[in-house]
Amino acid sequence: ETGVTQSPTHLIKTRGQQVTLRCSSQSGHNTVSWYQQALGQGPQFIFQYYREEENGRGNFPPRFSGLQFPNYSSELNVNALELDDSALYLCASSSRGSGDTQYFGPGTRLTVL
Amino acid sequence: EDQVTQSPEALRLQEGESSSLNCSYTVSGLRGLFWYRQDPGKGPEFLFTLYSAGEEKEKERLKATLTKKESFLHITAPKPEDSATYLCAVHSDYGGSQGNLIFGKGTKLSVKP
């Protein structure tokens, strides 16, 4: 069974640029959630995708957007990068259903200069 | 508003010195409380899911318990390899999703030999 994978591992961008992060969900999972984790903080919910549609969104501006593909993999896109976007971006997959456990990938470390 | 508070923020133990980490939560209808372990720069690793007050789960030197207002992660005779940040999270409908996670800030555990 393959776990959650994310790419790239690390990324350095400059302010104003755009970035795309990728996530492959665990086998058998149809729901993907994205989180942002700043240094020393717990992960913050960005949004969730189920069957290729956004299924809930946290307190993040519209320049954070995403996609889910038919194979349940997902992308997180961030436009007009700001310095505060520097963080560890985490993808988690789960099976649809209340209370289901979310399994996390290794994360993508984004640094905005 | 759904909320998770973890204490202490940091905990230093000697190898073999047992202790407990606390997670207090407020949520409208608990549908799952989760414990994760996170090593520096990596994604959270799933440990336990608890669903109802009185429930207990064990894994090696770790035991998680749940009451109506809080959860405890008990660490018995810890070893240096147990050093990590331990995150507590609850399922929430925040943001309109069915089952995103609200995290605490974590407890950073250091175990000295």
Side-chain angles (χ1 to χ4, degrees):
Chain A
E1 182 179 282
T2 306
V4 180
T5 60
Q6 292 186 243
S7 63
T9 306
H10 298 94
L11 207 49
I12 299 175
K13 292 285 187 178
T14 56
R15 196 170 50 182
Q17 285 189 310
Q18 177 266 340
V19 68
T20 297
L21 311 181
R22 294 178 175 82
C23 170
S24 291
S25 61
Q26 184 169 310
S27 175
H29 288 176
N30 55 20
T31 302
V32 172
S33 304
W34 286 91
Y35 295 81
Q36 180 195 66
Q37 187 177 25
L39 209 58
Q41 302 294 315
Q44 298 288 316
F45 174 67
I46 303 175
F47 43 57
Q48 183 180 84
Y49 277 85
Y50 170 67
R51 289 187 175 177
E52 303 177 56
E53 291 194 1
E54 188 177 288
N55 178 49
R57 187 180 185 91
N59 189 26
F60 282 82
R63 59 190 185 84
F64 285 78
S65 63
L67 285 173
Q68 187 179 33
F69 301 99
N71 65 355
Y72 305 126
S73 66
S74 177
E75 285 183 356
L76 164 65
N77 299 289
V78 187
N79 293 321
L81 284 167
E82 300 177 359
L83 297 179
D84 284 348
D85 295 334
S86 295
L88 182 67
Y89 287 85
L90 297 164
C91 164
S93 75
S94 58
S95 297
R96 178 70 166 185
S98 176
D100 282 341
T101 298
Q102 295 188 13
Y103 295 89
F104 284 82
T108 293
R109 170 67 64 187
L110 173 65
T111 302
V112 182
L113 302 176
Chain B
E1 180 182 336
D2 298 343
Q3 210 166 27
V4 175
T5 303
Q6 292 187 247
S7 62
E9 290 185 7
L11 182 62
R12 289 189 171 189
L13 299 174
Q14 288 296 124
E15 185 172 1
E17 180 187 2
S18 301
S19 188
S20 296
L21 282 55
N22 177 264
C23 170
S24 299
Y25 64 89
T26 53
V27 64
S28 51
L30 182 68
R31 293 180 288 114
L33 183 141
F34 304 85
W35 283 97
Y36 291 87
R37 169 194 169 126
Q38 187 174 29
D39 292 308
K42 299 191 175 180
E45 174 190 346
F46 170 70
L47 294 173
F48 303 109
T49 306
L50 301 166
Y51 290 108
S52 57
E55 190 173 359
E56 297 182 352
K57 289 192 176 174
E58 286 187 68
K59 179 181 179 181
E60 295 180 355
R61 295 177 292 283
L62 300 177
K63 179 180 178 180
T65 62
L66 181 65
T67 72
K68 288 186 177 180
K69 293 184 178 181
E70 56 192 351
S71 176
F72 293 92
L73 184 65
H74 308 276
I75 303 177
T76 302
K79 298 182 178 182
E81 52 262 42
D82 294 323
S83 297
T85 295
Y86 290 85
L87 296 167
C88 173
V90 295
H91 255 141
S92 171
D93 289 334
Y94 165 67
S97 78
Q98 291 186 21
N100 74 76
L101 296 176
I102 301 291
F103 280 88
K105 291 185 177 181
T107 293
K108 185 175 182 180
L109 175 66
S110 298
V111 182
K112 303 300 182 184

